[in-house]
Coordinates of all heavy atoms in Angstrom, one line a residue:
Chain A
R9 N -28.0 4.6 -20.5 CA -28.1 4.6 -19.0 C -29.1 3.6 -18.5 O -29.0 3.1 -17.5 CB -28.5 6.0 -18.5 CG -27.5 7.1 -18.7 CD -26.2 6.9 -17.8 NE -26.6 6.6 -16.4 CZ -26.9 7.4 -15.5 NH1 -27.0 8.7 -15.8 NH2 -27.2 7.1 -14.3
Y31 N -6.1 2.8 -17.7 CA -6.9 1.7 -17.2 C -8.4 2.0 -17.3 O -8.9 3.1 -16.9 CB -6.6 1.3 -15.8 CG -5.4 0.5 -15.6 CD1 -4.1 1.0 -15.9 CD2 -5.5 -0.9 -15.2 CE1 -3.0 0.2 -15.7 CE2 -4.4 -1.7 -15.1 CZ -3.1 -1.1 -15.3 OH -2.0 -1.9 -15.2
Y33 N -12.3 -0.1 -16.6 CA -12.9 -1.3 -16.0 C -14.4 -1.4 -16.3 O -15.1 -0.4 -16.4 CB -12.7 -1.3 -14.5 CG -11.3 -1.0 -14.0 CD1 -10.8 0.3 -14.0 CD2 -10.4 -2.1 -13.6 CE1 -9.5 0.5 -13.5 CE2 -9.1 -1.8 -13.2 CZ -8.7 -0.5 -13.1 OH -7.4 -0.3 -12.7
Y35 N -17.6 -3.2 -14.2 CA -18.1 -3.9 -13.0 C -19.6 -4.1 -13.2 O -20.3 -3.3 -13.8 CB -17.8 -3.1 -11.8 CG -16.4 -3.0 -11.3 CD1 -15.5 -2.0 -11.7 CD2 -15.9 -3.9 -10.3 CE1 -14.2 -2.0 -11.3 CE2 -14.6 -3.9 -9.9 CZ -13.8 -2.9 -10.4 OH -12.5 -2.8 -9.9
Q37 N -23.0 -4.6 -10.5 CA -23.3 -4.5 -9.1 C -24.7 -5.2 -8.9 O -25.7 -4.8 -9.5 CB -23.4 -3.1 -8.6 CG -23.6 -2.9 -7.1 CD -23.5 -1.5 -6.6 OE1 -23.8 -0.5 -7.4 NE2 -22.9 -1.3 -5.4
G40 N -26.3 -8.1 -2.6 CA -25.7 -9.3 -2.0 C -24.4 -9.7 -2.6 O -23.7 -10.6 -2.0
H41 N -24.0 -9.0 -3.6 CA -22.7 -9.4 -4.3 C -21.7 -8.2 -4.4 O -20.6 -8.3 -4.9 CB -22.9 -10.0 -5.6 CG -23.5 -11.3 -5.6 ND1 -22.8 -12.5 -5.3 CD2 -24.8 -11.7 -5.8 CE1 -23.6 -13.5 -5.4 NE2 -24.8 -13.1 -5.7
G42 N -22.2 -7.0 -4.1 CA -21.3 -5.9 -4.2 C -20.9 -5.6 -5.7 O -21.7 -5.9 -6.6
L43 N -19.7 -5.1 -5.9 CA -19.2 -4.8 -7.2 C -18.3 -5.9 -7.6 O -17.3 -6.2 -6.9 CB -18.5 -3.4 -7.2 CG -19.4 -2.2 -7.2 CD1 -18.6 -1.0 -6.6 CD2 -19.8 -1.9 -8.7
L45 N -15.8 -7.4 -10.8 CA -15.1 -7.0 -12.0 C -15.4 -8.0 -13.1 O -15.2 -9.2 -12.9 CB -13.6 -7.0 -11.7 CG -12.7 -6.6 -12.9 CD1 -13.0 -5.1 -13.3 CD2 -11.2 -6.7 -12.5
Y48 N -11.3 -5.8 -17.7 CA -10.6 -4.5 -17.6 C -9.6 -4.4 -18.8 O -9.3 -5.4 -19.4 CB -9.9 -4.3 -16.3 CG -8.7 -5.2 -16.0 CD1 -7.4 -4.6 -16.1 CD2 -8.8 -6.5 -15.7 CE1 -6.3 -5.4 -15.9 CE2 -7.7 -7.3 -15.4 CZ -6.5 -6.7 -15.5 OH -5.4 -7.5 -15.3
K57 N -9.5 -10.6 -18.3 CA -10.7 -11.0 -17.6 C -10.7 -10.7 -16.2 O -9.7 -10.7 -15.5 CB -10.9 -12.5 -17.8 CG -11.1 -13.0 -19.2 CD -11.3 -14.5 -19.3 CE -11.5 -15.0 -20.7 NZ -11.6 -16.5 -20.8
E59 N -13.4 -11.4 -12.5 CA -13.9 -12.6 -11.8 C -15.2 -13.1 -12.3 O -15.5 -14.2 -12.1 CB -14.0 -12.2 -10.3 CG -15.0 -11.1 -10.0 CD -15.1 -10.8 -8.5 OE1 -15.3 -11.7 -7.7 OE2 -14.9 -9.6 -8.2
F90 N -21.3 -0.7 -14.1 CA -20.5 0.5 -13.9 C -19.1 0.4 -14.6 O -18.4 -0.6 -14.5 CB -20.2 0.7 -12.4 CG -21.4 1.2 -11.6 CD1 -22.1 0.3 -10.9 CD2 -21.7 2.5 -11.6 CE1 -23.2 0.7 -10.1 CE2 -22.8 2.9 -10.9 CZ -23.6 2.0 -10.1
G97 N -2.0 1.1 -12.7 CA -2.3 0.0 -11.8 C -1.5 0.0 -10.6 O -1.4 -0.9 -9.8
P99 N -0.1 0.8 -6.7 CA -0.8 1.0 -5.4 C -1.3 2.4 -5.1 O -0.5 3.3 -5.4 CB 0.3 0.5 -4.4 CG 1.1 -0.4 -5.2 CD 1.2 0.2 -6.6
G100 N -2.5 2.5 -4.6 CA -3.0 3.8 -4.3 C -3.6 4.5 -5.5 O -4.1 5.6 -5.5
N101 N -3.7 3.7 -6.6 CA -4.4 4.2 -7.8 C -5.8 4.6 -7.5 O -6.5 3.9 -6.9 CB -4.4 3.1 -8.9 CG -5.1 3.5 -10.1 OD1 -5.1 4.6 -10.5 ND2 -5.7 2.5 -10.8
T102 N -6.2 5.8 -7.9 CA -7.5 6.3 -7.7 C -8.4 5.9 -8.9 O -8.0 6.1 -10.0 CB -7.5 7.8 -7.6 OG1 -6.8 8.2 -6.4 CG2 -9.0 8.3 -7.4
I103 N -9.5 5.2 -8.6 CA -10.4 4.8 -9.6 C -11.7 5.6 -9.5 O -12.2 5.8 -8.5 CB -10.8 3.3 -9.5 CG1 -9.5 2.4 -9.6 CG2 -11.8 2.8 -10.5 CD1 -9.8 1.0 -9.3
F105 N -15.6 6.2 -11.0 CA -16.7 5.5 -11.5 C -17.6 6.4 -12.3 O -17.8 7.5 -12.0 CB -17.5 4.8 -10.4 CG -16.9 3.6 -9.9 CD1 -15.9 3.7 -8.9 CD2 -17.2 2.3 -10.4 CE1 -15.3 2.5 -8.4 CE2 -16.6 1.2 -9.9 CZ -15.6 1.3 -8.9
G106 N -18.2 5.8 -13.4 CA -19.3 6.4 -14.1 C -20.6 6.3 -13.3 O -20.6 5.7 -12.2
E107 N -21.7 6.8 -13.9 CA -23.0 6.8 -13.2 C -23.8 5.5 -13.3 O -24.8 5.4 -12.7 CB -23.8 8.0 -13.7 CG -23.1 9.3 -13.3 CD -24.0 10.5 -13.7 OE1 -24.8 10.4 -14.6 OE2 -23.9 11.5 -13.0
W110 N -28.3 0.7 -16.2 CA -29.2 -0.2 -15.7 C -29.7 -1.1 -16.9 O -30.4 -0.6 -17.8 CB -30.4 0.5 -15.1 CG -30.2 0.9 -13.6 CD1 -30.7 0.3 -12.5 CD2 -29.3 1.9 -13.1 NE1 -30.3 0.9 -11.4 CE2 -29.4 1.9 -11.7 CE3 -28.5 2.8 -13.8 CZ2 -28.7 2.7 -10.9 CZ3 -27.8 3.7 -13.0 CH2 -27.9 3.7 -11.6
Chain B
T1 N -9.1 -16.3 -5.3 CA -9.9 -15.1 -5.3 C -9.7 -14.4 -4.0 O -9.8 -15.0 -2.9 CB -11.4 -15.4 -5.5 OG1 -11.6 -16.1 -6.7 CG2 -12.3 -14.2 -5.5
Q9 N -23.5 -5.4 7.9 CA -24.1 -5.2 6.5 C -25.0 -4.0 6.5 O -25.1 -3.3 5.5 CB -24.8 -6.5 6.1 CG -25.3 -6.5 4.7 CD -26.0 -7.8 4.3 OE1 -26.0 -8.7 5.1 NE2 -26.5 -7.8 3.1
S30 N -2.1 -4.1 -1.6 CA -1.2 -3.1 -1.8 C -1.8 -1.7 -1.5 O -1.1 -0.8 -1.1 CB -0.6 -3.1 -3.2 OG -1.6 -2.9 -4.1
S31 N -3.1 -1.6 -1.6 CA -3.8 -0.4 -1.2 C -5.2 -0.8 -0.9 O -5.7 -1.8 -1.2 CB -3.8 0.6 -2.3 OG -4.5 0.1 -3.4
Q33 N -9.2 1.2 -0.6 CA -10.0 2.4 -0.8 C -11.3 2.2 -0.1 O -11.9 1.1 0.1 CB -10.3 2.6 -2.3 CG -9.1 3.0 -3.1 CD -8.3 1.8 -3.6 OE1 -8.8 0.7 -3.9 NE2 -7.0 2.0 -3.7
Y35 N -15.2 3.9 -0.5 CA -16.1 4.6 -1.4 C -17.4 4.8 -0.7 O -17.8 4.0 0.2 CB -16.4 3.8 -2.7 CG -15.2 3.7 -3.6 CD1 -14.3 2.7 -3.4 CD2 -15.0 4.5 -4.7 CE1 -13.2 2.5 -4.2 CE2 -14.0 4.3 -5.5 CZ -13.1 3.3 -5.3 OH -12.0 3.1 -6.2
Q37 N -21.5 5.4 -1.8 CA -22.4 5.4 -3.0 C -23.8 5.7 -2.6 O -24.3 5.2 -1.6 CB -22.4 4.0 -3.6 CG -23.2 3.8 -4.9 CD -23.1 2.4 -5.5 OE1 -22.8 1.5 -4.8 NE2 -23.4 2.3 -6.8
G40 N -28.7 5.2 -7.2 CA -28.8 5.7 -8.6 C -27.5 6.3 -9.1 O -27.5 6.9 -10.2
E41 N -26.4 6.3 -8.3 CA -25.2 6.9 -8.7 C -24.0 5.9 -8.5 O -24.2 4.8 -7.9 CB -24.9 8.1 -7.8 CG -26.0 9.2 -7.9 CD -25.6 10.4 -7.1 OE1 -24.5 10.4 -6.5 OE2 -26.5 11.3 -7.1
G42 N -22.9 6.2 -9.1 CA -21.7 5.4 -9.0 C -21.0 5.7 -7.7 O -21.2 6.7 -7.1
P43 N -20.1 4.8 -7.3 CA -19.4 5.0 -6.0 C -18.4 6.2 -6.2 O -17.9 6.4 -7.3 CB -18.6 3.7 -5.9 CG -19.3 2.7 -6.7 CD -19.9 3.4 -7.8
L45 N -15.0 8.0 -4.5 CA -13.9 7.7 -3.6 C -13.8 8.6 -2.5 O -13.9 9.8 -2.6 CB -12.6 7.8 -4.5 CG -11.3 7.5 -3.7 CD1 -11.2 6.0 -3.4 CD2 -10.1 7.9 -4.5
T48 N -7.9 6.7 0.0 CA -7.0 5.6 -0.3 C -5.9 5.5 0.7 O -5.3 6.5 1.0 CB -6.4 5.7 -1.7 OG1 -7.4 5.8 -2.7 CG2 -5.4 4.6 -2.0
V50 N -2.4 3.2 1.8 CA -1.4 2.3 1.1 C -0.4 1.8 2.1 O 0.3 0.8 1.8 CB -0.7 3.0 0.0 CG1 -1.6 3.4 -1.1 CG2 0.1 4.2 0.4
L86 N -24.3 3.9 1.1 CA -23.6 2.6 1.0 C -22.2 2.9 1.0 O -21.6 3.6 0.2 CB -24.1 1.8 -0.2 CG -23.4 0.5 -0.5 CD1 -23.8 -0.5 0.6 CD2 -23.7 0.0 -1.9
L88 N -18.5 1.3 0.8 CA -17.8 0.1 0.1 C -16.3 0.2 0.4 O -15.7 1.3 0.2 CB -18.0 0.1 -1.4 CG -19.4 -0.1 -1.8 CD1 -19.6 0.4 -3.3 CD2 -19.8 -1.6 -1.8
A94 N -2.2 -5.2 -8.3 CA -1.9 -5.4 -9.7 C -3.0 -4.7 -10.6 O -3.4 -5.3 -11.6 CB -1.8 -6.8 -10.0
G95 N -3.4 -3.5 -10.3 CA -4.3 -2.8 -11.2 C -5.7 -3.2 -11.1 O -6.5 -2.6 -11.8
K96 N -6.1 -4.1 -10.2 CA -7.5 -4.5 -10.1 C -7.9 -4.3 -8.6 O -7.1 -4.4 -7.7 CB -7.6 -6.0 -10.5 CG -7.3 -6.3 -11.9 CD -7.7 -7.7 -12.3 CE -6.8 -8.7 -11.6 NZ -7.1 -10.1 -12.1
S97 N -9.2 -4.0 -8.5 CA -9.7 -3.9 -7.1 C -10.8 -4.9 -6.9 O -11.6 -5.2 -7.7 CB -10.3 -2.5 -7.0 OG -9.3 -1.5 -7.0
T98 N -10.8 -5.4 -5.7 CA -11.8 -6.3 -5.2 C -12.6 -5.6 -4.2 O -12.1 -5.0 -3.2 CB -11.2 -7.6 -4.5 OG1 -10.4 -8.3 -5.5 CG2 -12.2 -8.5 -4.0
F99 N -14.0 -5.6 -4.3 CA -14.9 -4.9 -3.5 C -15.5 -5.8 -2.4 O -15.8 -7.0 -2.7 CB -16.0 -4.2 -4.3 CG -15.5 -3.0 -5.0 CD1 -14.8 -3.1 -6.2 CD2 -15.8 -1.7 -4.5 CE1 -14.3 -1.9 -6.8 CE2 -15.4 -0.6 -5.1 CZ -14.6 -0.7 -6.3
G100 N -15.7 -5.2 -1.3 CA -16.6 -5.8 -0.3 C -18.1 -5.6 -0.7 O -18.4 -4.9 -1.6
D101 N -19.0 -6.3 0.0 CA -20.4 -6.2 -0.3 C -21.0 -4.9 0.2 O -22.2 -4.6 -0.2 CB -21.2 -7.4 0.3 CG -20.9 -8.6 -0.5 OD1 -20.3 -8.5 -1.6 OD2 -21.2 -9.7 0.0

Side-chain angles (χ1 to χ4, degrees):
Chain A
R9 293 291 315 281
Y31 277 70
Y33 309 83
Y35 287 88
Q37 186 173 33
H41 290 282
L43 282 154
L45 182 64
Y48 71 104
K57 297 179 179 179
E59 59 182 306
F90 286 98
N101 177 33
T102 297
I103 300 176
F105 283 84
E107 295 186 330
W110 275 253
Chain B
T1 302
Q9 186 177 359
S30 58
S31 66
Q33 291 85 33
Y35 293 82
Q37 184 179 20
E41 299 182 5
L45 180 71
T48 297
V50 297
L86 176 66
L88 296 158
K96 296 187 292 185
S97 291
T98 300
F99 282 80
D101 289 348

